[in-house]
Amino acid sequence: MNQQLEYRLKSLGLEYTALHIDHLVEDASRDNISYLDFLINLVDEEWEQREKQLLEKRIHTARFPFSKSISDFDFEFQPSVNEKRVKETLTCRFIENGENRILLGPPGVGKTHLAISFGMEALIKGYTVKFITADEFVNECRKASAKEILHYFINRMSKPDILIVDELGYFPFDELTANVFFQIVSKRYERGAMILTSNKSYVEWGKVFGDDVLATAILDRLLHHSVTFNIKGESFRMKEKKQAGIIPVQL
C-alpha cells in the first residue's frame, strides 16, 4: 500500500481502513464493483469497527462483575417476573424518560442477572452505564470523603445514563453514605435512570439508610417514575446445585 495513503488514513483516524485497504481493494477488483459501492463498503467496514470498539469501551467502563444476557434468563423457573415489563425495559425508553427500575426479592432469584441484562442492552444501544455494588458504593464514598473529593464521587455517579446499584440492603449505610446516596438520587431525579436491586422491601429501607425520614425522601424520588419487579421464587443457585446433585432435591 502507498505509504502516504496509509499515513493520511491514520491521520484521519481511519485505522481499520489503513490496515485493511489492500484486501478491500482486492475484493472490489475481484467483484468488479462500482466506485460508489466500494466507497460504501469501505465506510461501512470502518463504521462497524468503530462501533465495536466503542461498545467494548463502554462495557469496560461499566464495570460489570460478569456478562449476562436476557436470553439466559429462565422465565419459566421464575414466573413472578413479568416478561412483558422486562421486554419493555429492554427497549430502553425508560432511560430517555429518566425512569427507574427496581428489583426486589430474596438472594439468588435473578435480580442482578436482570439488572446486568438491562445494562448490557443499554450499552448496545449506545448509552453509558455504571455498575456498582452497595458495598463498593460505601467504600468508595468513604475514601472520597477522606480525600475530600466527595464532589467528584457524586458527579461521577451522576454522569452515566444509567447507574446500577446492586445488593442494596445487605449492609446498612452510615450517615455519610446515606446522605451522599440521597444527593445522587436527587441529582439524577428525572434526568438519569437508575436500576437498583435489593433483598429488602420498601418498608425496611429506613433500616438500610439508618433514617426513616431520609429513606422516605429517597423513595419519594425513586418511585415517582419507576417500575418495581417483585421477584418471588426459588434461588437459581439452589436450582443449579440440586441439578448437580450437590444438595438433595427435597430438603
Side-chain angles (χ1 to χ4, degrees):
M1 180 178 61
N2 183 286
Q3 289 185 345
Q4 186 181 48
L5 175 60
E6 180 181 6
Y7 172 78
R8 288 182 175 177
L9 285 170
K10 288 183 177 180
S11 296
L12 290 169
L14 303 174
E15 296 285 344
Y16 181 84
T17 301
L19 289 172
H20 298 87
I21 189 66
D22 287 338
H23 85 74
L24 289 171
V25 170
E26 289 174 5
D27 290 346
S29 178
R30 183 190 65 238
D31 298 335
N32 195 30
I33 65 174
S34 67
Y35 294 125
L36 177 60
D37 286 338
F38 170 71
L39 182 60
I40 290 172
N41 290 343
L42 187 149
V43 172
D44 283 347
E45 292 268 5
E46 185 70 40
W47 177 271
E48 289 174 7
Q49 185 63 23
R50 285 196 180 189
E51 286 297 300
K52 180 181 178 182
Q53 291 174 347
L54 288 172
L55 175 58
E56 290 173 352
K57 183 178 180 180
R58 290 195 299 273
I59 292 173
H60 176 75
T61 303
R63 300 292 184 182
F64 290 132
F66 45 80
S67 178
K68 284 291 183 181
S69 168
I70 200 63
S71 61
D72 303 323
F73 192 85
D74 189 345
F75 286 97
E76 291 186 5
F77 181 75
Q78 216 61 280
S80 65
V81 176
N82 188 317
E83 190 170 356
K84 183 178 179 180
R85 283 187 171 180
V86 168
K87 290 180 178 178
E88 170 59 28
T89 298
L90 291 170
T91 66
C92 294
R93 283 192 288 265
F94 77 101
I95 303 172
E96 295 298 328
N97 297 332
E99 298 176 0
N100 304 311
R101 294 295 182 265
I102 304 173
L103 301 107
L104 305 178
V109 295
K111 302 185 299 297
T112 302
H113 185 149
L114 287 172
I116 291 177
S117 297
F118 295 156
M120 281 297 299
E121 190 63 28
L123 290 173
I124 291 170
K125 286 181 166 61
Y127 294 100
T128 55
V129 178
K130 170 63 179 176
F131 180 99
I132 189 169
T133 66
D135 187 46
E136 290 169 341
F137 182 94
V138 169
N139 290 334
E140 289 192 28
C141 184
R142 288 172 178 168
K143 289 178 182 177
S145 177
K147 294 179 181 179
E148 298 184 348
I149 53 171
L150 262 179
H151 64 285
Y152 172 76
F153 176 74
I154 292 171
N155 288 336
R156 186 160 61 90
M157 293 295 108
S158 303
K159 187 176 180 180
D161 296 316
I162 302 179
L163 174 63
I164 302 176
V165 183
D166 191 34
E167 299 180 341
L168 195 65
Y170 282 92
F171 303 99
F173 281 38
D174 57 24
E175 183 178 357
L176 169 69
T177 51
N179 277 285
V180 169
F181 189 82
F182 170 73
Q183 290 182 58
I184 292 168
V185 169
S186 296
K187 287 193 72 170
R188 298 187 64 87
Y189 177 61
E190 294 187 330
R191 298 178 184 176
M194 295 184 71
I195 298 175
L196 307 178
T197 76
S198 178
N199 65 332
K200 303 294 185 184
S201 64
Y202 292 136
V203 296
E204 299 176 275
W205 281 31
K207 295 179 181 178
V208 174
F209 294 105
D211 187 319
D212 289 335
V213 175
L214 184 61
T216 299
I218 290 171
L219 284 170
D220 180 62
R221 288 159 177 78
L222 286 175
L223 299 181
H224 186 204
H225 304 291
S226 70
V227 169
T228 298
F229 292 86
N230 277 300
I231 308 176
K232 301 174 182 178
E234 190 177 352
S235 165
F236 280 106
R237 288 186 283 271
M238 292 292 285
K239 171 193 173 186
E240 292 170 357
K241 288 182 179 180
K242 287 178 181 179
Q243 290 176 339
I246 298 174
I247 58 175
V249 176
Q250 296 295 330
L251 293 177

